[in-house]
């Protein structure tokens, strides 16, 4: 449920390392106490509960969700990712509780906000503005966004980072990883250390608003030839590592277009699909966060508005080449070639192919439906997607088979899956085959390995 910020006084963000550690410690103690009571009840009833059964209860999920939402920062961000990626593997009541992390976060109370702004802009910061709304119009895991107008008439959206977020990333990631290990969701044989290193790196980049400002400028340059896209203007004079000032852009949430005409829904998904392909094959630079809130639609101007470039990632040429092989095999209806490309990208391990060849081949067959069809593909028909999900859950049930794909492929797949999910939500109809054929043909003249990377961004 969205928070009414006009009445809600906000909730202070614990910014010190010790205060955040104490919250995690209190959470672990609270969960452990609940486990003892639940275990005693089940033993009295003649049951022999497992540790994972005691951990994965609605009561414990509610405790975790509440605490991560209060901590915000990397803790909440990782909780959101777990709730999105592991939702299908959890009991429905647990998935529903964790899904609350994807709704709006609490904002800072006024006193903490004023302290933060004074630290970052100086005591006289108010003289810079005609107006500055004390209540944010959006709040998320790392920061909150305020509407403001400067003395020289600039209409701005100002993103302000929660205090202590950047310096708490490493410890937050480690603490959430400990909770995951406690939950027994992950096989003990699964080495998540490389993923934790990458998660810390990615979150440090997302918390670097100077880097995000550079990404805003870069994407404005890359899309200068495409007026159907709108990137907010970056205002460096009011920005820094923990504050990002950009032009305020009107627009409606893209998911609200579910009630729009079929023509409008189709156009928005065509724009987003085209952009995703250009990001991969042309720019080799992609905004990888699949959150729907990162896109809005300006109906009056017919523009797709692009927001939040914190998760922008540059992709190596070999990853781009791997996806080219995958799409070329799919367009040729070459199931074996598609399977080889998926293994080459690390999305399936050779062990998984050996143990679950039938299920993997079934997933590929369903996926090829997207490419076989000449003309419009109806994303409102979710039969193939549901069949792929069911086959994937069968593979995931074999915990000994779990592996972590290369991080580049992992982030890229999250973005593609997010675009697909939005297309199904909008029941859009897009000529996917023609779109991919055109993009591959346009970029075929330049070998992706020889293309200059667009990702050389200064931090």
């Amino acid at each position: 449920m969205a928070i009414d910020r006009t009445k809600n006084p906000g909730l202070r963000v614990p910014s010190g390392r010790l205060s955040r550690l104490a919250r995690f410690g209190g959470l672990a103690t609270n969960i452990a106490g609940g486990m003892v009571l639940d275990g005693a009840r089940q033993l009295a009833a003649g049951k022999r509960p497992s540790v994972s059964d005691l951990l994965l209860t609605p009561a414990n999920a509610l405790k975790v969700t509440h605490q991560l939402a209060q901590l915000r920062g990397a803790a909440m961000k990782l909780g959101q990712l777990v709730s999105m990626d592991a939702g299908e593997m959890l009991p429905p009541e647990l998935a529903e509780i964790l899904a609350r992390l994807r709704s709006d976060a609490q904002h800072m109370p006024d006193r903490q906000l004023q302290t933060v702004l004074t630290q970052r802009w100086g005591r006289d910061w108010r003289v810079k503005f005609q107006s500055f709304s004390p209540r944010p119009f959006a709040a998320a895991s790392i920061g909150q966004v305020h509407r403001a107008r400067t003395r020289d008439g600039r209409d701005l959206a100002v993103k302000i980072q929660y205090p202590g977020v950047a310096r708490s990333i490493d410890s937050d990631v480690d603490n959430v990883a400990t909770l995951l290990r406690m939950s027994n969701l992950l096989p003990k044989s699964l080495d998540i250390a490389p993923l934790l290193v990458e998660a810390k790196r990615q979150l440090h980049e997302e918390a670097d608003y100077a880097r995000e400002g550079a990404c805003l400028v870069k994407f404005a340059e890359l899309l200068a030839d495409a007026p159907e896209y709108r990137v907010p203007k970056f205002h460096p004079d009011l920005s820094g590592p923990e504050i990002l000032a950009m032009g305020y852009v009107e627009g409606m949430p893209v998911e609200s277009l579910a009630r729009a005409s079929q023509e409008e829904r189709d156009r928005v998904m065509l724009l987003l699909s085209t952009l995703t392909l250009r990001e991969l094959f042309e720019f080799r630079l992609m905004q990888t966060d699949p959150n729907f809130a990162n896109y809005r639609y300006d109906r009056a101007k017919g523009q797709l508005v692009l927001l939040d470039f914190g998760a922008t990632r540059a992709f190596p040429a070999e990853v781009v080449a791997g996806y080219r092989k995958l799409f070329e095999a799919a367009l040729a209806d070459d199931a074996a070639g598609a399977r080889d490309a998926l293994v080459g990208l690390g999305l399936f391990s050779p062990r998984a192919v050996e143990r679950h060849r039938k299920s993997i081949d079934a997933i590929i067959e369903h996926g090829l439906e997207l490419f076989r069809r000449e003309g419009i593909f109806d994303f409102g028909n979710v039969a193939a997607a549901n069949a792929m999900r069911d086959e994937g859950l069968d593979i995931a049930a074999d915990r000994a088979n779990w592996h972590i794909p290369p991080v580049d492929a992992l982030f890229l797949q999250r973005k593609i899956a997010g675009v697909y999910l939005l297309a199904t939500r909008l029941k859009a109809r897009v000529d996917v085959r023609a779109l991919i054929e055109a993009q591959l043909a346009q970029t075929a003249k330049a070998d992706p390995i020889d293309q200059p990377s667009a990702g050389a961004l200064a931090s």
Side-chain angles (χ1 to χ4, degrees), residues 22-85:
R23 292 290 185 98
F24 274 106
L27 175 61
T29 301
N30 200 343
I31 289 175
M35 286 173 61
V36 171
L37 290 175
D38 289 340
R41 293 191 191 102
Q42 293 193 38
L43 286 170
K47 298 179 181 179
R48 297 187 63 182
S50 68
V51 174
S52 59
D53 289 337
L54 294 175
L55 278 166
L56 295 176
T57 64
N60 282 338
L62 192 59
K63 291 172 186 175
V64 171
T65 300
H66 180 68
Q67 193 63 267
L68 295 186
Q70 289 190 33
L71 284 163
R72 279 151 283 186
M76 183 176 177
K77 185 80 172 183
L78 286 170
Q80 291 171 339
L81 297 180
V82 170
S83 71
M84 291 175 69
D85 290 345

Side-chain angles (χ1 to χ4, degrees), residues 262 266 270 369-370 372-380 427-434:
Q262 184 71 56
D266 295 347
L270 177 63
E369 287 298 318
L370 186 67
R372 287 188 182 124
R373 190 164 312 199
E374 296 283 351
I376 298 299
F377 181 86
D378 184 0
F379 284 93
K427 297 181 171 61
R429 299 182 302 188
V430 179
D431 191 341
V432 176
R433 183 181 178 90

Side-chain angles (χ1 to χ4, degrees), residues 161-216:
Q161 191 171 121
Y162 300 129
V165 161
R167 64 176 178 267
S168 67
I169 286 172
D170 291 356
S171 59
D172 276 5
V173 170
D174 290 337
N175 288 326
V176 172
T178 298
L179 290 177
L180 277 175
R181 291 189 183 101
M182 285 175 58
S183 72
N184 203 31
L185 273 175
L186 304 177
K188 292 181 180 179
S189 60
L190 188 67
D191 180 15
I192 64 170
L195 187 60
L196 296 181
V197 171
E198 181 57 33
K200 291 174 183 178
R201 188 189 73 80
Q202 179 73 24
L203 287 165
H204 277 293
E205 288 186 351
E206 290 194 43
D208 183 355
Y209 286 178
R211 180 184 185 276
E212 184 174 352
C215 292
L216 272 172

